[in-house]
Amino acid sequence: MTALPFGATLGIVGGGQLGRMSAMAAARLGFRVHVLTPDIDSPACEVASSATIGDYDDEVALRDFAEHVDVVTFEFENVSAHGLRILESIKPVRPAGAVLEISQDRIAEKRRLSEIGAALAPWREVPDAAALAAAAEALDYRLILKTTRFGYDGKGQFRIRDAEEFAALGTDLPYPLVAEGIVDFEREISVMVARGLDGDVRCFDVTENRHRNGILDLSLAPAPIPPALAAQAQSMARHIAESLDLIGIMGVEMFVDARGGLLINEIAPRPHNSGHWTMNACLVDQFEMHVRAVLGLPLPEATRHSDAVMKNLIGPDDMALCDAALRMPGLALHLYGKDEARPGRKMGHVNAIFPRGALPGPFGIAAVLGPLVEPVVSEDI
Ligand code: AMP
């Protein structure tokens, strides 16, 4: 198991912003990047050395892509099992296809996480209407139904708060589903954990995540939680990474419940939106950490030199604030080069940086982020 030489080619499946920022990190280290994407105008293509343009389930495209690279990684997780086997038959794939297959399917993910001792919200498999009725009763009619595959940013989810809402649910549901009990969480947190080829593990500091309309809006680093809880979250993330034999980086999303306990929500074996703050608050960010792991390079400490608030720029309203963001002190602006700012589309983010230990409260954050956060910060933090 040796590191790839400088100048080797990293293959990234997926053309989105996570691929773009991974490609930029790889280029900074002197590697070439070849992207697989259906769309030549994608954010990652604009910064990669070369690309295969084709669908993720197109066997010819997958083979062409794998022939052009030295190692394969992902920013897009939903490659079919067959596609993953093709890639693995041609080049090393990191993280392994088996890890992706777990994260692609909420049932497989929950089973595996339970097996390795992770605490989860109560859940039931819901293959059909009869199972749904039983699950709703067992969960006391307070549940979230989630599609088992292809859900992201709260898409493919239906929330039921009582028996009346359950009764009003139509019959035309996209089974199979997973039913989860609604967690009355105190806050949502995540840990970015990376594991290298040699088994070294690095955890970035725990992040608190705040969502708006089901989409990540703000991340605060470090999360304002007791040190013992932060250590527990990091140790759980490490345990999951080691149990899955992860190579690369993974986001582990968790709930802090009303009693201060940790429940795992989901895992994403790739760079993650909740790790974007590391780009300006750490010497080596989540993207370089991921690229290093995948290329077999040593992993540096995941040290945070500053505190940070990350604010996503979503849709046309946030894009209209970019000019203002460029003029605001203490902010780093990151845009993904997407031409059309559709509502709900992640267009970029800003990182506001503070001295270590000086993450401000709501009013301080509002003062620094100004028009970018009103009125969310004053209401919600
Ligand atoms: P997910 O796609 O599973 O990450 O869910 C998106 C968001 O929905 C999460 O970040 C939470 O804010 C919320 N959510 C998901 N599952 C639950 C749950 N079991 N209880 C309460 N909120 C949840």
Side-chain angles (χ1 to χ4, degrees), residues 106 121-122 143-144 146 151-155 157 159 180-185 188 211 214 253 255 265-266:
R106 287 191 196 271
L143 60 149
I144 300 187
K146 300 183 179 179
Y152 66 97
D153 287 347
K155 292 189 174 61
Q157 297 195 5
R159 200 174 270 248
E180 276 180 37
I182 293 181
V183 178
D184 293 316
F185 55 79
E188 289 187 81
H211 296 78
E253 297 178 23
F255 300 119
N265 176 23
E266 62 180 3

Side-chain angles (χ1 to χ4, degrees), residues 24-67:
M24 289 158 79
R28 222 164 45 223
L29 288 172
F31 290 88
R32 296 172 56 78
V33 172
H34 185 94
V35 170
L36 172 64
T37 168
D39 179 10
I40 195 164
D41 290 324
S42 61
C45 267
E46 288 178 6
V47 301
S49 330
S50 51
T52 297
I53 307 301
D55 282 328
Y56 303 118
D57 55 3
D58 174 344
E59 200 166 323
V60 176
L62 286 163
R63 285 186 188 283
D64 176 83
F65 166 73
E67 297 297 349

